[in-house]
Structure formats: C-alpha cells, structure tokens
Amino acid sequence: MEQTVLAIVDDTPDVLKAKLKREWEAIDARKEAGDLDFDVQRARALTIYLGLGLTYKQIAESVGIQRGWLDQILRYGRFMNF
C-alpha cells in the first residue's frame, strides 16, 4: 500500500505568488477555450490575493502585468460586484 505525505507549507509571499500564477494561467486557459467571464475571475483572484497580504507590486510581478492593468481589472471587479 502506497502512502502519500502531505506537507503543510505556510503561506509565505513566495508561495502565494506561485499559487496566484498557477490560478492566473488556469484562467488564461479558460479564456483561450472561449469562457466569457474570465475578467471577472481574474478580478476575483486578484482581490483574494490582495486580501491574503500580497502587495500590488508582488501581484503584478507574479502575473506579468503592469500596475495600471492591475488597477483596471480590480476596478472592473468592483463594478461587477456592485
């Protein structure tokens, strides 16, 4: 019988950035597949990771966008949640 060991890793900024990058790539893949609400999903992901303690600079570096685009996506997310 094979056992799997799960390691509990603290959510350091580097771990959070890696998780965000994977989530961002998954959203991009759904965009390529024709999913229409990918911007809402992007905004939701950015909001979550801001709440977890990442800075705007860390998020922008992680997903590869400029600060201006980050602000626009977050603004769009706030509009959609209104």
Side-chain angles (χ1 to χ4, degrees):
M1 182 171 166
E2 188 174 318
Q3 293 183 346
T4 304
V5 177
L6 297 176
I8 298 175
V9 179
D10 291 335
D11 285 338
T12 64
D14 290 332
V15 171
L16 289 174
K17 285 170 53 176
K19 286 181 181 179
L20 175 59
K21 184 174 179 140
R22 283 192 305 271
E23 190 170 339
W24 194 265
E25 290 169 353
I27 292 169
D28 278 344
R30 289 167 48 193
K31 173 187 171 188
E32 295 297 323
D35 195 359
L36 296 178
D37 68 340
F38 65 91
D39 277 332
V40 175
Q41 294 168 0
R42 283 179 173 178
R44 191 172 295 137
L46 295 177
T47 303
I48 288 170
Y49 285 93
L50 273 173
L52 290 173
L54 288 181
T55 64
Y56 281 90
K57 183 178 178 180
Q58 290 171 324
I59 289 174
E61 289 172 356
S62 177
V63 297
I65 60 175
Q66 294 179 1
R67 171 69 190 262
W69 280 110
L70 179 65
D71 290 334
Q72 291 293 328
I73 294 170
L74 289 170
R75 186 175 298 126
Y76 178 71
R78 287 191 300 271
F79 170 74
M80 293 303 292
N81 288 328
F82 182 69

